[in-house]
Amino acid sequence: MLRTTLCRTIPHTHVFALAIVSASRRTFVYSAPRMDPALTSKPIDAKATIGTEGPHKKDLPPPSLAAAKGSSAVEEIKGDWVLFHPVYTPDELHAVQVMHREAKTISDKVAVLFVKILRTGFDLISGYKHKEIPPNSSMSLEELRKKGYIMDESQWLSRCLFLESVAGVPGMVGATLRHLRSLRILRRDSGWIHTLLEEAENERMHLMTFMTIKKPGFWFRSLILGAQGVFYNMFFLSYLISPSTCHRFVGHLEEEAVLTYTRCIQEIEAGHLPAWEKAPAPEIAKDYWRLRDDASLLDVIYAIRSDETTHRFVNHSLANLNHTTDVNPFAFREPDMHVKGKKLEFEQEEAEKYVQESHKLIEKATHPTSQSA
């Protein structure tokens, strides 16, 4: 039996891993975490910060201690509060292309059908609409909005808030079920759980960012509550039946998200959303995506679109793998946006090759002397 033991210290990952790959089974053993500056644009020895969300109430010092030490007592609570996530260069942010994967199998067609149904519901609840503006139109901004050609800032926010409140569900469901499966069969997960958790949190951070701009009212929150209750349980049951179909569904759903944010970017750059043209980026966004101090809301939308492109690529790729035996290639590293933005997926053979390339990078980083010899 051929067995290769590798230890990794490579870009686009957040842990050092020992991957043991065999002909019959593949498993991962993880050791101590460490941040790579190439991933976060943050030096390894950089001081941790409180985080934009601030300390939780239960973490605050007792009132008597806070009064004795002053506000500095709160500042002692340090620590990053988010999982690993890609941070993009300006060049990567503009490397995204709107793409659609054609359905090839019955499973694919089922996934596309449910995306269309969900998209229709999204559009109805959020009031989203997109009509092509007539060529050489001389209509004013007010006329364009009145005739339904473009949406205003409030309508766009409703769309984004509802979209992100639902988009954070699939990754958590998949991670939960794979976690339970690992506990149940007493075996490792081959690197899928953490990637899915990262996706879920990333979508949640999109929602938290938009929440700083607009706080939804009672009616809108009620719609989100109802949609989440239905969607979570439906996706949970579907993932038990066919994980591959569910990942394909998410891949197609992310295609729609990339299209939506691309249109939003175009609307801002065309001057159709004047309140957002020079709006500053929320602090939570600057902290999360490591944006510059003078970043704008447009920069944030570009970053969110890149995240959705990552989810598009990852889920379409995972749908091509055997979910019970294949290693998640993105547990090692991820391609940059010049790949993910212009390519829809890795086929199974490409994913296997990508893992092998990762192994070579691991060996080179772990044993540089032997490699040079």
Side-chain angles (χ1 to χ4, degrees), residues 25-30 174-197 239 247 318 321-329 331:
R25 183 173 63 183
R26 306 167 186 175
T27 60
F28 292 106
V29 180
Y30 298 108
T176 298
L177 287 174
R178 292 196 67 93
H179 172 77
L180 294 175
R181 178 179 179 273
S182 178
L183 297 178
R184 187 169 62 251
I185 66 175
L186 307 178
R187 285 178 55 185
R188 298 181 187 274
D189 179 64
S190 296
W192 290 56
I193 294 174
H194 210 271
T195 293
L196 297 176
L197 284 175
Y239 204 92
H247 285 295
L318 294 180
L321 303 182
N322 185 321
H323 67 276
T324 61
T325 59
D326 285 341
V327 170
N328 165 27

Side-chain angles (χ1 to χ4, degrees), residues 72-134:
S72 60
V74 176
E75 295 174 358
E76 295 176 3
I77 302 172
K78 303 289 185 181
D80 292 329
W81 40 267
V82 293
L83 297 171
F84 160 85
H85 57 280
V87 173
Y88 311 100
T89 65
D91 191 39
E92 284 183 291
L93 293 175
H94 291 82
V96 173
Q97 294 180 1
V98 174
M99 304 175 71
H100 173 66
R101 183 186 186 277
E102 294 299 325
K104 302 176 182 178
T105 65
I106 295 177
S107 176
D108 292 349
K109 293 177 181 179
V110 170
V112 171
L113 174 62
F114 277 101
V115 167
K116 289 181 178 179
I117 294 173
L118 193 62
R119 173 66 191 258
T120 301
F122 279 178
D123 293 349
L124 179 63
I125 293 174
S126 64
Y128 178 84
K129 52 182 177 286
H130 178 77
K131 292 171 60 178
E132 293 293 335
I133 299 175

